[in-house]
Amino acid sequence: MNTIKTFTLLLGIVALFTSCRDIIDIELDSVEPKLVIDGAVTDINDTLVIQLTKSVDYFEPGIYPPVPGAVIAVSDNLGNTHQLNETSSGVYTDYLPGTEGNKYTLSVEVEGEKYTAEVEMPYKVLIDSISVEPTPDYLEFSGGYLVNCHLHDPFGVENFYRLKVSLVNDLEEPDDVLVVYDDAYVNGNQITLRWDEEQFFPQDTVVVELQTLAESTYEYYRTLSALFESGMIGSANPANPITNLSGDVLGYFGAYTVSRDTIIISE
Amino acid sequence: MKNNSKTRNKIALTLLMVFVTVSSVLADETVTISGYVRSAETGEGLIGSTIYVEELKTGTATNAYGFYSLTIPKGNYTIRYSYIGYRHNQLPLSLTRNNSKDVELLPSSAEVEEIIVRNEAEDKNIRTAEMGVIKLSPRETRMIPVILGEQDILKTIQLLPGVSSGTEGTTGFYVRGGGVDQNLIILDEAPIYSASHLMGFFSVFNSDAIKDMKLYKGNAPAVYGGRLSSILDIQMNEGNAKKFSASGGLGLLASRLTIESPIVKDKGSFIISGRRSYADMFLIFPNDKSQKETDLYFYDLNAKANYKINDNNRIYLSGYWGRDVFNIDDLFALKWGNKTATFRWNHIFNNQLFLNSSLIYSNYDYGFGYNFSDNMIYINSGIRDINWKEDLQYYINAKHTLKFGFNTIYHTYSPGEINAENNDVFNSVFMGEKQSFEGAVYLSHNWNISDHFSVNYGLRYSGFMAVGPDTVYTYNEQDERVDSEVFANGDVIQKYKEIEPRITFNVIFNRNSSLKLSYARNAQYIHLLSNSSASLPTDVWIPSSRNVKPQVADQIAAGYFRNFKNNMFETSVEVYHKDLYNQIDYQNGAEILLNQDVESQLVFGKGRAYGLELYVKKRTGKLTGWFGYTLSRTERSMDEIENGRWFPARQDRTHDISVVGMYQLNQKWNLSANWVFNTGNAVTFPNGKYSVNKFTVPVYTSRNASRMPDYHRLDLGATYMPKKKKRFESSWSFSLYNAYGRKNAFSITFQENENNPTQTEAERLALFQMIPSVTYNFKF
């Protein structure tokens, strides 16, 4: 039997991994503009706003034509019906603060078609407290602080949450991240939702918003957020988000409650 | 059902009659010669080597263990034993009574190979009643350039017609329009449920441990079954029975070491082969700056031992154990791997009847952890099998060979659980294991009717039984549970069965050309749920059930095979048409992981695939290699997706070309190159967009109506082999992957422009441009 010989390992050469991202031109088929219904009952606004617009081709500028002249009504399970008024082109409003546990039915009549949706206003879950921790060094950014939202999930009911954390000055900025949770495996427990989408710095005033979502609103947001996942692994079959609207229409009719708290970051 | 059983009886009766007929023609004047054909260098059995009787112009081939048996009239013959890459052995034999003859063949060096071109082994592609088959051994493919120098048989088969690759650089493959989960990959008979390492970029097959591989593109003989599209049968090396030897390699990605040795010379041997990656250096995450908290590696261990008890009994024990580990600090953890063990016993009843009994264990599991609420949550899932097989091979005479047997598999599925001990945030979830039996009996008959006509036909009768304990739900149109039924331990929940006829005709025009026709039906009782564009280790295997019917496929194929210049060139044209039934797809937004009601998220439909495959291979000379071209179409139709409109399957590729060339420059240098081109995958891109709640949302109109950009790539390789010193051999392999740096799109993301959110754009992610590598291999 041979004696095992010694080998000199040659590991001087390092693999050069080049991955690159760039913007490319792609031809996409044009699509017939489709009606979009967008609105949600909340307990934070006394006014319900329903917007009707049309979709545009994907590479067109994001200017969405409003759809005026619709007849829109929202009724609840107590027998109240609200007729919405068109306050500007394609924007329909009425005084309608959401009440926990109520069911709301939307009816939209426009361009000879009728669309309906139903949603139930969920019971509110409050933010227990907010905490702050230094950003761990495995994230894409470092040197600042992350914000945690603590809450106590009510036992025995299915809950759906959306967490929004932003600088107080950016509250009205368009959202580019959508973070939702369900309580399937944490029902009845104390939970911490960590916002690791961005970090904050001392003296920042940060608003934490916990939305408790209706189930259909959660389904819409969940399937919508899946479309924002990008990069290495995408969904095999991206599809329009699951909506509670009936008929050939895009968008959703949502319902959620809001619990807000504010913190000023200190070192 | 009635019709079905009638047909079944008829076929069974026909088979029985054939059996009786062939048994009765056995005359007294015949004599049987049998034995093993082995490598003189290592003592390992040579699979598929040819035994040819010059005088009778007939012959046979060795089985998966190197055994052969040939029954011919008494007389004096010249018998030629040959195997590709080995020097043939020609023996004058006077056969007056039954004979046992073991033969050893010497590997041929390159120069000798040129002389022995005229070799019966080399026109096997013409003569056998087998089609849609690819046979490869790692020694044939080791010159082909590969990414990071890591030889990989799953990547080599993607270079062959009818087989296409999954996403860039990955080992997932599609055969004739079938899905990734419609390939049965068996390693020493043990199913490998997830054949990938490192998110799919490398396969679990360490080529140092692999002896032989055969891919059946949907027309497998009746002995195989269980998947619709292909069977990839991989045999592990047995270990050198002559002397101790060691080999290994150092690569940029991983290092390998193999040792093999006789246990008792010429009676038994073992091999142990290990591989470990240092992939922690492998930067797939360009934004991750904290390499030190990240673990990213895999390892494999293959081991096999065999021992000859006596001339009629030999046992084999083999196993595989591999694992991937991927951790990012306390944020994310993913581990997965296969474990298999195979015990086999070859028993020769008499020199015409060979039995192999196998007991096989196979296990695949993964654990997936992520940080939620400052706690790591771990999700575990997997599948494990215990499998018993009896396979008999009856070599009646040079015209007739029968193979028959049965197998039965007990599957246990763990669809998923959350283990939340020591954790006050998570509640433990245990979805309950599911169990099922899958079995089959089969008989196949290979009949060389004349010099010009041969047929291989058979029947596989397969069945499936889901058994308790389990709770079974029924769902309404809205996917809500409407009913549930509880089954106790051992209760039968659901049974399925399928008759799977297989037949291949071969019309041999002459030594150089033949025409083959085949039909096969295949059934598949277990299904892989995968809802992402990549094959992830977290995909879930589920059994057939009340809600999920077995998948079935019918494939017809025809091919013309022609060799030129004394088998220097091998060419073929094959066409196929495949119909697939009970195909599975997903509702929009389906959740697969940890979903007790996952069956309610599935939709069912049918598929069809057809295509043309051209293949030209140059087998000998200084320049070797092949050209493959596939023209194909693959479509699916689901009632619940766009009202049953036929849409292209993701893997639908109109054109697929590969060119592989290897050139021996001189004694020391080998050069190689391959080029691939394919039409981009069918994908769903958005057509429009709209705004909701301040988000820009894409609009999708039809499934897979768009195409990824065309894919093409050139790889270059060179191997330097210094002169052998005593027993020590070594080589250096250099390669350049994607030599002209084509930016092939791995994925395309549709997103808002960062600076101008009213504008939307398409961003391409390209991986792997011009990746050089070097590997050092040694052997002594």
Side-chain angles (χ1 to χ4, degrees):
Chain A
M1 204 180 276
N2 282 37
T3 36
I4 307 278
K5 299 182 183 182
T6 330
F7 301 97
T8 316
L9 308 190
L10 294 161
L11 296 172
I13 308 154
V14 174
L16 302 169
F17 283 92
T18 52
S19 89
C20 95
R21 290 174 187 272
D22 56 0
I23 304 301
I24 55 169
D25 283 327
I26 281 194
E27 292 268 316
L28 295 176
D29 289 340
S30 181
V31 66
E32 186 82 356
K34 284 180 112 179
L35 179 68
V36 179
I37 299 175
D38 175 17
V41 181
T42 71
D43 64 349
I44 199 161
N45 293 322
D46 290 343
T47 306
L48 169 67
V49 180
I50 304 279
Q51 287 197 56
L52 301 195
T53 51
K54 285 279 173 83
S55 68
V56 300
D57 280 352
Y58 192 77
F59 290 124
E60 292 290 307
I63 300 156
Y64 305 99
V67 180
V71 177
I72 301 185
V74 173
S75 54
D76 62 27
N77 54 325
L78 305 173
N80 307 311
T81 300
H82 301 257
Q83 288 291 335
L84 277 66
N85 303 309
E86 187 169 1
T87 47
S88 63
S89 181
V91 180
Y92 304 80
T93 62
D94 195 27
Y95 176 78
L96 204 171
T99 309
E100 291 174 328
N102 276 9
K103 276 191 187 134
Y104 296 93
T105 306
L106 170 78
S107 135
V108 174
E109 283 176 65
V110 67
E111 294 174 347
E113 300 284 330
K114 188 176 176 183
Y115 307 94
T116 58
E118 262 188 23
V119 71
E120 185 179 328
M121 188 74 173
Y123 286 89
K124 188 170 189 153
V125 177
L126 293 171
I127 297 174
D128 271 359
S129 61
I130 302 175
S131 66
V132 167
E133 62 175 301
T135 306
D137 58 6
Y138 51 75
L139 290 179
E140 286 170 39
F141 40 77
S142 59
Y145 294 88
L146 296 185
V147 171
N148 293 310
C149 170
H150 306 280
L151 62 119
H152 187 196
D153 181 69
F155 180 76
V157 279
E158 280 186 299
N159 282 101
F160 306 95
Y161 303 110
R162 176 181 175 198
L163 184 65
K164 269 177 85 171
V165 177
S166 60
L167 288 171
V168 67
N169 299 331
D170 294 345
L171 266 183
E172 295 308 314
E173 292 284 301
D175 294 314
D176 56 359
V177 278
L178 179 53
V179 180
V180 291
Y181 306 90
D182 67 13
D183 66 351
Y185 311 120
V186 293
N187 194 316
N189 299 344
Q190 290 283 351
I191 39 184
T192 301
L193 304 177
R194 186 164 75 179
W195 183 259
D196 52 16
E197 300 292 332
E198 63 190 305
Q199 61 179 350
F200 300 98
F201 296 95
Q203 312 315 319
D204 283 351
T205 303
V206 176
V207 177
V208 176
E209 178 171 318
L210 178 70
Q211 300 179 354
T212 310
L213 309 174
E215 183 170 2
S216 63
T217 307
Y218 169 76
E219 280 295 294
Y220 186 83
Y221 285 169
R222 175 180 71 82
T223 47
L224 171 60
S225 69
L227 299 176
F228 297 150
E229 284 167 15
S230 64
M232 299 282 289
I233 296 151
S235 164
N237 297 304
N240 296 322
I242 298 172
T243 180
N244 58 341
L245 292 162
S246 69
D248 186 21
V249 60
L250 300 165
Y252 76 125
F253 176 53
Y256 58 88
T257 62
V258 176
S259 167
R260 269 191 189 162
D261 207 343
T262 303
I263 191 169
I264 297 170
I265 310 284
S266 57
E267 299 210 30
Chain B
M1 269 290 115
K2 239 179 197 162
N3 260 340
N4 233 349
S5 70
K6 226 181 219 172
T7 334
R8 180 169 79 231
N9 289 339
K10 226 184 235 174
I11 296 169
L13 199 67
T14 318
L15 285 174
L16 189 71
M17 278 168 58
V18 171
F19 186 82
V20 172
T21 327
V22 295
S23 303
S24 60
V25 297
L26 295 177
D28 293 333
E29 307 83 67
T30 61
V31 62
T32 301
I33 175 164
S34 65
Y36 287 88
V37 180
R38 297 205 173 88
S39 159
E41 191 183 38
T42 64
E44 293 188 297
L46 296 175
I47 303 170
S49 48
T50 314
I51 296 93
Y52 188 75
V53 187
E54 295 275 307
E55 290 79 1
L56 299 175
K57 301 221 176 317
T58 187
T60 186
T62 54
N63 70 9
Y65 306 92
F67 175 81
Y68 74 97
S69 165
L70 188 59
T71 301
I72 46 178
K74 287 180 182 172
N76 295 322
Y77 299 109
T78 314
I79 299 187
R80 190 204 291 258
Y81 295 83
S82 46
Y83 185 69
I84 296 171
Y86 283 74
R87 283 189 225 182
H88 70 261
N89 197 344
Q90 194 160 302
L91 300 173
L93 288 171
S94 170
L95 298 177
T96 52
R97 57 188 173 82
N98 290 348
N99 242 303
S100 214
K101 186 81 198 160
D102 291 352
V103 174
E104 292 193 338
L105 301 180
L106 271 167
S108 57
S109 53
E111 313 88 83
V112 183
E113 222 159 331
E114 301 230 10
I115 306 162
I116 55 148
V117 169
R118 281 187 64 96
N119 183 331
E120 282 68 34
E122 314 227 342
D123 65 1
K124 226 162 71 177
N125 64 316
I126 302 289
R127 305 200 64 83
T128 52
E130 247 185 10
M131 66 180 297
V133 183
I134 296 164
K135 193 172 180 290
L136 280 176
S137 71
R139 48 178 281 157
E140 288 175 78
T141 60
R142 64 185 167 198
M143 300 298 176
I144 297 174
V146 282
I147 187 163
L148 288 170
E150 201 61 29
Q151 288 300 327
D152 202 322
I153 46 170
L154 290 195
K155 290 200 184 137
T156 308
I157 62 168
Q158 294 172 5
L159 297 170
L160 292 155
V163 185
S164 54
S165 52
T167 33
E168 155 112 57
T170 63
T171 55
F173 60 98
Y174 301 98
V175 178
R176 290 183 170 172
V180 170
D181 65 321
Q182 293 173 350
N183 304 317
L184 176 64
I185 302 177
I186 49 177
L187 177 65
D188 273 358
E189 298 186 76
I192 300 291
Y193 282 100
S194 174
S196 66
H197 279 312
L198 264 184
M199 314 310 284
F201 291 112
F202 300 93
S203 87
V204 300
F205 303 109
N206 171 359
S207 48
D208 284 358
I210 304 302
K211 174 174 167 181
D212 188 87
M213 172 230 102
K214 212 168 181 182
L215 177 74
Y216 295 93
K217 296 187 279 188
N219 297 82
V223 53
Y224 295 104
R227 296 293 186 281
L228 292 196
S229 292
S230 79
I231 308 287
L232 179 63
D233 185 359
I234 300 170
Q235 305 277 347
M236 268 163 55
N237 275 323
E238 286 160 22
N240 197 321
K242 301 279 183 193
K243 59 177 198 270
F244 173 85
S245 93
S247 61
L250 300 171
L252 293 181
L253 176 80
S255 280
R256 294 162 278 120
L257 181 67
T258 301
I259 53 172
E260 43 192 320
S261 167
I263 297 170
V264 177
K265 197 180 172 197
D266 285 329
K267 277 203 104 169
S269 61
F270 73 89
I271 178 168
I272 296 175
S273 186
R275 176 169 67 154
R276 165 71 156 85
S277 76
Y278 4 87
D280 312 60
M281 305 185 344
F282 184 82
L283 309 172
I284 8 178
F285 303 97
N287 292 329
D288 184 12
K289 296 176 201 96
S290 55
Q291 292 302 304
K292 58 182 182 297
E293 281 101 358
T294 307
D295 290 324
L296 179 58
Y297 63 88
F298 66 79
Y299 58 85
D300 289 311
L301 190 66
N302 291 78
K304 187 165 177 175
N306 71 89
Y307 190 75
K308 181 171 136 184
I309 299 164
N310 56 36
D311 281 348
N312 292 331
N313 294 285
R314 183 184 279 266
I315 52 172
Y316 297 83
L317 187 62
S318 52
Y320 166 81
W321 186 25
R323 205 96 190 127
D324 271 75
V325 177
F326 181 19
N327 290 319
I328 303 176
D329 202 48
D330 60 351
L331 188 70
F332 177 81
L334 179 59
K335 286 173 196 182
W336 76 93
N338 296 279
K339 296 180 198 94
T340 73
T342 309
F343 172 75
R344 293 194 275 195
W345 172 32
N346 287 176
H347 176 68
I348 300 170
F349 284 102
N350 60 49
N351 47 25
Q352 286 174 287
L353 187 59
F354 181 94
L355 166 71
N356 177 62
S357 310
S358 307
L359 269 180
I360 303 148
Y361 170 79
S362 178
N363 179 81
Y364 171 70
D365 71 289
Y366 71 80
F368 174 66
Y370 61 92
N371 190 308
F372 182 85
S373 208
D374 267 346
N375 280 271
M376 282 299 274
I377 154 169
Y378 287 97
I379 298 167
N380 297 302
S381 171
I383 179 169
R384 59 182 188 273
D385 289 354
I386 294 168
N387 188 347
W388 174 33
K389 278 188 184 176
E390 293 293 336
D391 178 43
L392 285 137
Q393 301 171 9
Y394 181 28
Y395 301 88
I396 299 166
N397 55 35
K399 282 194 185 321
H400 300 278
T401 308
L402 283 180
K403 290 184 186 181
F404 49 98
F406 68 87
N407 81 304
T408 175
I409 309 174
Y410 180 65
H411 297 287
T412 309
Y413 315 79
S414 310
E417 61 178 35
I418 297 182
N419 196 333
E421 285 172 46
N422 313 322
N423 182 329
D424 49 11
V425 173
F426 280 96
N427 308 322
S428 284
V429 177
F430 185 62
M431 285 175 57
E433 295 196 323
K434 290 180 187 296
Q435 305 78 21
S436 65
F437 286 97
E438 183 180 343
V441 290
Y442 61 88
L443 172 68
S444 73
H445 177 201
N446 190 71
W447 184 9
N448 299 320
I449 298 167
S450 73
D451 283 353
H452 293 288
F453 199 65
S454 66
V455 59
N456 187 311
Y457 65 96
L459 193 68
R460 185 178 174 87
Y461 179 43
S462 62
F464 177 87
M465 192 163 75
V467 294
D470 199 4
T471 307
V472 174
Y473 300 100
T474 28
Y475 302 93
N476 63 12
E477 295 266 308
Q478 282 75 46
D479 306 324
E480 292 154 351
R481 287 182 189 175
V482 288
D483 195 13
S484 72
E485 199 175 339
V486 178
F487 291 88
N489 198 357
D491 284 359
V492 176
I493 300 167
Q494 181 73 39
K495 283 185 189 173
Y496 290 106
K497 58 182 189 240
E498 194 63 50
I499 309 265
E500 305 173 38
R502 319 272 174 88
I503 188 160
T504 304
F505 291 103
N506 187 8
V507 183
I508 305 154
F509 300 117
N510 53 46
R511 283 181 61 105
N512 298 323
S513 63
S514 65
L515 178 72
K516 301 183 190 183
L517 295 169
S518 81
Y519 163 76
R521 165 167 283 210
N522 284 286
Q524 176 165 346
Y525 297 98
I526 66 172
H527 322 279
L528 183 67
L529 302 185
S530 164
N531 203 11
S532 70
S533 54
S535 290
L536 293 182
T538 50
D539 296 343
V540 180
W541 284 95
I542 61 157
S544 293
S545 68
R546 289 209 169 160
N547 300 313
V548 183
K549 291 191 181 68
Q551 304 179 53
V552 176
D554 286 319
Q555 176 174 289
I556 51 168
Y560 178 70
F561 299 77
R562 175 90 163 91
N563 290 3
F564 294 94
K565 289 206 165 180
N566 283 326
N567 302 321
M568 180 189 266
F569 291 95
E570 181 184 314
T571 67
S572 64
V573 185
E574 291 188 49
V575 289
Y576 66 88
H577 180 99
K578 182 152 67 179
D579 285 307
L580 305 103
Y581 311 99
N582 305 332
Q583 296 300 286
I584 297 176
D585 214 308
Y586 311 93
Q587 286 180 359
N588 291 341
E591 283 196 285
I592 288 170
L593 205 64
L594 282 176
N595 184 352
Q596 195 97 47
D597 298 309
V598 70
E599 289 182 354
S600 72
Q601 307 279 294
L602 307 178
V603 298
F604 304 96
K606 52 191 196 259
R608 62 185 181 199
Y610 44 94
L612 167 88
E613 298 166 3
L614 291 180
Y615 186 49
V616 178
K617 185 179 185 183
K618 183 169 182 293
R619 297 202 296 201
T620 52
K622 278 190 185 271
L623 177 71
T624 57
W626 67 81
F627 165 83
Y629 169 71
T630 310
L631 173 69
S632 65
R633 172 144 296 170
T634 302
E635 294 168 310
R636 298 284 183 267
S637 159
M638 310 274 158
D639 288 344
E640 290 177 59
I641 298 173
E642 295 167 46
N643 298 316
R645 180 183 74 88
W646 283 98
F647 63 88
R650 184 177 180 78
Q651 66 269 26
D652 176 56
R653 286 180 184 168
T654 314
H655 305 286
D656 196 322
I657 301 172
S658 14
V659 186
V660 176
M662 289 163 274
Y663 183 72
Q664 182 158 29
L665 193 65
N666 53 40
Q667 291 282 22
K668 288 183 176 166
W669 282 95
N670 266 290
L671 305 177
S672 60
N674 55 259
W675 184 75
V676 292
F677 171 91
N678 62 254
T679 309
N681 281 344
V683 285
T684 309
F685 284 159
N687 299 106
K689 62 179 173 183
Y690 62 99
S691 173
V692 148
N693 195 359
K694 296 190 252 172
F695 290 104
T696 300
V697 185
V699 180
Y700 296 95
T701 48
S702 46
R703 175 76 69 101
N704 291 354
S706 302
R707 288 280 165 184
M708 294 290 275
D710 289 342
Y711 180 99
H712 54 90
R713 193 189 80 227
L714 173 75
D715 306 330
L716 301 172
T719 304
Y720 172 70
M721 277 178 288
K723 263 217 153 103
K724 207 169 160 176
K725 283 177 196 152
K726 286 185 190 161
R727 284 187 55 191
F728 186 81
E729 282 175 58
S730 66
S731 68
W732 289 90
S733 293
F734 305 91
S735 72
L736 182 61
Y737 181 88
N738 197 359
Y740 54 75
R742 159 91 177 169
K743 285 185 187 171
N744 285 307
F746 182 83
S747 66
I748 291 177
T749 307
F750 291 86
Q751 60 189 25
E752 287 173 27
N753 183 298
E754 261 182 56
N755 304 318
N756 178 7
T758 67
Q759 270 305 332
T760 34
E761 60 195 17
E763 187 190 69
R764 164 175 67 186
L765 171 66
L767 303 178
F768 309 129
Q769 292 160 68
M770 295 193 268
I771 309 287
S773 77
V774 57
T775 308
Y776 173 72
N777 292 303
F778 63 87
K779 191 179 177 180
F780 60 86

